[in-house]
Amino acid sequence: MTIDTGLSTRSGAPLPRGSGMGGGIVSGVFDQADAMRPTIYGERWAIVGGHPLVSEVGAEILRRGGNAVDAGVAAGFASNVVQVEMCNLGGIAPILVREAGSREVQSIAGVGTWGARASLAEIVENHGGRLPLGGVPSIVPGAVSGWLTALARFGTMGLPEIIAPAIELAADGFLLDPRTASHLAKMGSGFDRWESSREIYRPGGIPLRGGDRLKQPALAATLRRLSDAAVEASANGTARLDGIEAAHALFYTGDIAHTISAFVTERGGYLDPEDLAGFRADVAPAPAIGFGRWQVHVTPTWSQGPVVAQALGILERRGIRHLEAGSVAWAHEVIEALKLAFSERERAYGDPRFAAETAEQLLADTHLTALAARVQENALPNLPTMPPAGPALPSTTAIVVVDASGTAFSCSPSDTIDGAPVIPELGIICSPRGVQSRLVPGHPNQLRPGGRPCVTPAAVIALAADDDIWAAACPGGDVIVQAIVQAMIHYDVHGRSPQAAVEAPRLFGSSYPGGFHPHPVGNSLVFVEAGIGEEVARGLERRGHEIVDWPANEFDAGSVQTIVSTRAPSGGRLLAAGADSRRTAYAHAR
């Protein structure tokens, strides 16, 4: 068979015909790829983790018959070992879970609280309005309680089996890929001040390189103690839940808690053993907004999750479905909707136990309609400017899992190793997420004794008719929710595949106080990733946006990880997974 290529040189000379069986040039016969990677399809389960090793850990649990939550928690513990530069066992883990067959989604607040003796006035006086890293902004580590609460409430397997892969990875070590090694090297400028961190992640003062083996024996010992506590409880004839509870008690009421408290207090922090003993990851219904055929559930206002819901609500009311994808008008509407939602974060988000407005009020139809009406032809004005940027935690990771039963798990574990020193005896840091609290009396996210900061990591699970499910999560600080919103628009509004949706070029606006102390504001800044197009960038400039160019596949543009579950022609579940190519995310499905 011969095929006319339809191609010619620039001078107009036609190319010769190509032949079948791979011979010659046969451009246009086969479809062009819509993304750098393929969308991964499955029918029994799918998982997307922030690193191939993390995804493989969760996949193995699924192969053994575990459900999506079992796999998500196992992957979460593994991420605290493999992606230690992005998240930590002593850090945070905001989680959403959908039980099979349920029309509700539950949030699990794996985010710690300030100690009872934390004092806004004292911190301002002692540190001149700063939140120095090292101990002062330390809050109760929430990730362990988040993982264990999710496993106990919604999982099926015992803790020893779930945590075993993480123990092995920490004890025996794993080979660093070049990107993870590069991240560790770059973060060295932050953790280099702490000897306990240098000894593990920059031994001998030399940055680790791709191919080096990273071992974390103290972390392995801490993980093994949690497993042993569960095994001992089971040996006494108690049930799976009692084993998980024994591990929780060991971490939050035993000598581990005392070690954490003493370490933090010695460095000027405000944690006592009683603060850890009284902590439990809250479980509550996740707030939701209608977007097209979906009910989009997000983590509550102790996170920036409602930014996703508010921005989508504004865009729906602004007619985003009638705009050309990637046009100047489309880009302007997306930027302005997110700007308004971030303004709402500044105005009203905080620990729901103390906030003046509920998520339901923030997502009310009349409120969203009023916000949508504020969008104009030109850029809205900035919020008041803030001081220059100071300490910031650079990133996060993400895990999403959906199984054939319809159980879904979405999480953005976080806290990076340049945010606090490693506690030598435990091999973990103590969450420095207090840097996301505000040192402003009366602010909805002000530092409060026993209060949670409003954190940037967030998660999304959307539900629709026919038991369709859509889970998404992303790392990237203030970028997280902006990247998720754009990926959701590309999939649901413009019909792109999950993989093409997460790879599509992105915009990032920063005309609001940033999520990290001292909460700087950009001057109408909009970062535009290559691929958006020069015509669009110039059109945005004419509308009053200040453009900053990003290269293609920009790391700082986030890394959306998503799974969409629909019905296959056979009637079974069709799981489609997208893993953003901007970072080391990786998908598995069967």
Side-chain angles (χ1 to χ4, degrees):
M1 179 180 76
T2 59
I3 303 170
D4 191 343
T5 68
L7 298 176
S8 62
T9 66
R10 287 189 175 186
S11 65
L15 294 184
R17 290 187 171 196
S19 64
M21 301 295 291
I25 302 171
V26 289
S27 174
V29 174
F30 297 104
D31 293 338
Q32 296 294 306
D34 67 348
M36 294 173 65
R37 296 173 173 178
T39 297
I40 304 299
Y41 287 92
E43 56 186 350
R44 288 183 284 172
W45 50 262
I47 179 170
V48 189
H51 189 281
L53 289 176
V54 172
S55 297
E56 176 56 32
V57 165
E60 182 58 29
I61 293 296
L62 290 160
R63 293 186 190 105
R64 295 180 191 174
N67 72 5
V69 177
D70 295 321
V73 173
F77 277 119
S79 72
N80 293 150
V81 178
V82 174
Q83 291 190 277
V84 70
E85 85 282 14
M86 297 294 176
C87 65
N88 199 278
L89 187 69
I92 65 173
I95 299 169
L96 290 182
V97 171
R98 187 264 187 162
E99 289 186 278
S102 176
R103 299 305 305 165
E104 299 295 325
V105 172
Q106 301 298 317
S107 68
I108 302 175
V111 177
T113 57
W114 282 92
R117 60 183 174 86
S119 168
L120 189 158
E122 182 178 309
I123 289 175
V124 169
E125 180 180 352
N126 289 351
H127 302 286
R130 295 169 48 249
L131 272 173
L133 298 176
V136 175
S138 296
I139 62 173
V140 174
V144 170
S145 187
W147 300 139
L148 297 180
T149 299
L151 183 63
R153 287 282 297 268
F154 306 107
T156 65
M157 299 174 73
L159 179 61
E161 189 172 3
I162 291 294
I163 207 170
I167 295 172
E168 180 181 350
L169 286 164
D172 297 345
F174 61 95
L175 298 182
L176 289 169
D177 63 274
R179 293 194 77 180
T180 301
S182 174
H183 300 162
L184 287 167
K186 286 180 171 61
M187 289 184 176
S189 61
F191 67 70
D192 205 46
R193 73 191 93 169
W194 301 308
E195 182 180 357
S196 58
S197 302
R198 286 198 311 272
E199 289 179 350
I200 305 169
Y201 305 113
R202 187 170 282 199
I206 301 172
L208 295 169
R209 299 179 300 176
D212 286 344
R213 181 174 293 275
L214 174 60
K215 294 185 178 182
Q216 301 168 85
L219 174 58
T222 297
L223 291 166
R224 188 175 289 112
R225 289 189 63 194
L226 298 178
S227 179
D228 290 347
V231 170
E232 185 176 348
S234 300
N236 292 333
T238 55
R240 177 185 80 93
L241 295 182
D242 293 321
I244 297 171
E245 182 59 32
H248 196 286
L250 172 66
F251 191 90
Y252 287 97
T253 66
D255 63 283
I256 291 177
H258 285 267
T259 299
I260 293 171
S261 169
F263 187 86
V264 168
T265 300
E266 183 181 336
R267 287 155 181 80
Y270 297 86
L271 287 184
D272 294 323
E274 294 77 13
D275 298 316
L276 284 88
F279 180 77
R280 180 77 60 164
D282 300 334
V283 181
I289 186 74
F291 183 68
R293 70 188 188 93
W294 301 93
Q295 279 294 115
V296 180
H297 299 258
V298 298
T299 42
T301 55
W302 45 255
S303 78
Q304 64 175 347
V307 168
V308 171
Q310 288 192 295
L312 291 176
I314 293 167
L315 288 166
E316 193 78 272
R317 287 159 178 79
R318 293 289 305 171
I320 190 68
R321 296 178 187 276
H322 304 294
L323 297 178
E324 180 186 350
S327 64
V328 175
W330 181 95
H332 176 73
E333 291 286 341
V334 170
I335 293 165
E336 295 300 277
L338 286 163
K339 183 187 293 183
L340 286 164
F342 272 98
S343 180
E344 287 286 277
R345 184 185 78 171
E346 175 69 8
R347 184 185 68 81
Y349 291 19
D351 189 326
R353 297 172 297 170
F354 305 103
E357 293 183 53
T358 64
E360 290 72 22
Q361 290 172 309
L362 294 169
L363 299 179
D365 176 66
T366 53
H367 185 58
L368 292 175
T369 300
L371 289 174
R374 296 186 61 180
V375 178
Q376 303 169 9
E377 186 72 15
N378 292 321
L380 291 169
N382 265 10
L383 295 174
T385 57
M386 302 290 287
L393 308 184
S395 210
T396 302
T397 188
I399 300 163
V400 291
V401 194
V402 181
D403 64 31
S405 75
T407 300
F409 177 96
S410 181
C411 178
S412 292
S414 193
D415 284 347
T416 56
I417 56 169
D418 57 348
V422 169
I423 303 171
E425 302 93 328
L426 305 177
I428 65 174
I429 67 172
C430 182
S431 176
R433 278 286 159 171
V435 297
Q436 299 214 270
S437 293
R438 303 301 285 269
L439 302 183
V440 180
H443 193 283
N445 188 30
Q446 76 173 65
L447 187 160
R448 291 182 177 89
R452 281 188 177 89
C454 174
V455 300
T456 44
V460 174
I461 294 179
L463 305 177
D466 299 323
D467 204 31
D468 288 354
I469 306 163
W470 185 4
C474 177
D478 292 324
V479 172
I480 290 170
V481 288
Q482 302 196 46
I484 290 174
V485 164
Q486 292 173 70
M488 295 185 80
I489 293 169
H490 283 299
Y491 174 77
D492 189 61
V493 176
H494 304 305
R496 297 191 178 187
S497 70
Q499 186 63 39
V502 302
E503 286 188 17
R506 288 202 274 265
L507 305 153
F508 167 61
S510 64
S511 300
Y512 50 85
F516 297 89
H517 180 81
H519 313 284
V521 176
N523 295 316
S524 295
L525 294 179
V526 177
F527 293 78
V528 176
E529 204 172 18
I532 292 291
E534 182 59 26
E535 181 180 343
V536 173
R538 289 179 179 175
L540 291 174
E541 285 183 314
R542 287 193 294 271
R543 292 183 182 224
H545 302 285
E546 189 69 30
I547 302 301
V548 180
D549 291 315
W550 260 348
N553 225 34
E554 168 59 43
F555 177 93
D556 287 333
S559 177
V560 180
Q561 296 159 215
T562 193
I563 299 170
V564 181
S565 169
T566 55
R567 287 292 164 190
S570 63
R573 197 172 289 281
L574 177 64
L575 302 166
D580 201 322
S581 58
R582 290 170 178 85
R583 302 198 185 182
T584 55
Y586 206 78
H588 281 276
R590 289 291 183 274

